[in-house]
Amino acid sequence: AATLVPDGAGFLWGVTTGGGDISGYGTVFKVEMATGTATTVLEFSNNGTNNKGANPVGPLVNDGAGNLWGVTRVGAASGEGSIFKIASSTGVLTTVLQFGNLTGVNASVSTPFSGLTNDGQGNLWGYSSAGGAAATWAVFKIKMSDGSFTKVAEHAPGGVSYHGRTPLAGLSGNDTSPWLWGTTSVGGTSNLGTLYRYDPSTGQHQTVIH
């Protein structure tokens, strides 16, 4: 489960990584705030190479245009996860991107760790558990208007101040700061993790604490 997100129409939306009556690969649900009534909007399955993904991780992100965006960790092409959006008015899911179908410099990005973060500039940011030949993870962004995908940075071990590895939560930011912040659970000088930040407009990275 993850943080609930309001849709502006009286409902809170969320995901479960597992569970569901059909196959146990997770669900999207909504709760009516006025009554507390919960409804399962859809269930995920892992029944082929071109499905909508499985095991969603959250939270969902409201794009302000009637859609809630999210990611799945597995399923879809090559079992590498997906990025999807759901129309809050209908509950219809659209698979925007399957990680297993990425090509070129983005081809190695797969298996998202956590939900997406809106940078307020039309992009959603996230990170994956694979990102390059020597990388342990990668930061990526996707443009909401056309679904274009960019691998922003690879994170690989090396040196006492390297970026760290194994992040356990999504990136964080707000409207008054240009930076998106994140943490890793291991790595850094004493292998106790790091605190890092990105400037979404430039892609600049800083390891703040290591």
Side-chain angles (χ1 to χ4, degrees):
T3 303
L4 298 175
V5 177
D7 64 3
F11 293 90
L12 298 172
W13 291 67
V15 302
T16 62
T17 300
D21 295 331
I22 298 174
S23 59
Y25 284 103
T27 69
V28 174
F29 65 92
K30 65 180 180 180
V31 179
E32 187 175 11
M33 289 186 281
T35 65
T37 302
T39 303
T40 299
V41 178
L42 62 91
E43 296 189 24
F44 292 88
S45 63
N46 196 13
N47 57 356
T49 58
N50 291 306
N51 60 36
K52 57 194 174 187
N55 300 130
V57 289
L60 298 171
V61 176
N62 190 332
D63 66 5
N67 301 299
L68 300 163
W69 292 66
V71 300
T72 64
R73 293 205 64 190
V74 298
S78 303
E80 296 178 13
S82 68
I83 296 176
F84 63 87
K85 64 180 179 181
I86 297 174
S88 60
S89 60
T90 64
V92 173
L93 180 145
T94 300
T95 301
V96 179
L97 176 149
Q98 299 183 64
F99 284 90
N101 287 338
L102 294 174
T103 59
V105 297
N106 297 318
S108 58
V109 181
S110 67
T111 318
F113 264 115
S114 185
L116 303 169
T117 300
N118 192 334
D119 66 4
Q121 301 176 38
N123 304 300
L124 298 173
W125 289 63
Y127 55 86
S128 66
S129 63
T136 57
W137 58 289
V139 175
F140 63 82
K141 65 179 180 180
I142 183 168
K143 190 174 182 180
M144 288 185 283
S145 61
D146 61 10
S148 57
F149 182 93
T150 304
K151 178 173 66 175
V152 177
E154 296 179 0
H155 291 249
V160 296
S161 62
Y162 73 93
H163 300 321
R165 63 184 186 275
T166 316
L168 296 178
L171 296 164
S172 299
N174 59 61
D175 294 336
T176 62
S177 170
W179 297 97
L180 295 174
W181 296 73
T183 59
T184 65
S185 59
V186 293
T189 305
S190 301
N191 201 35
L192 297 175
T194 65
L195 171 68
Y196 64 90
R197 64 181 186 175
Y198 279 95
D199 183 337
S201 62
T202 65
Q204 180 186 5
H205 170 273
Q206 293 180 355
T207 303
V208 180
I209 300 174
H210 58 78

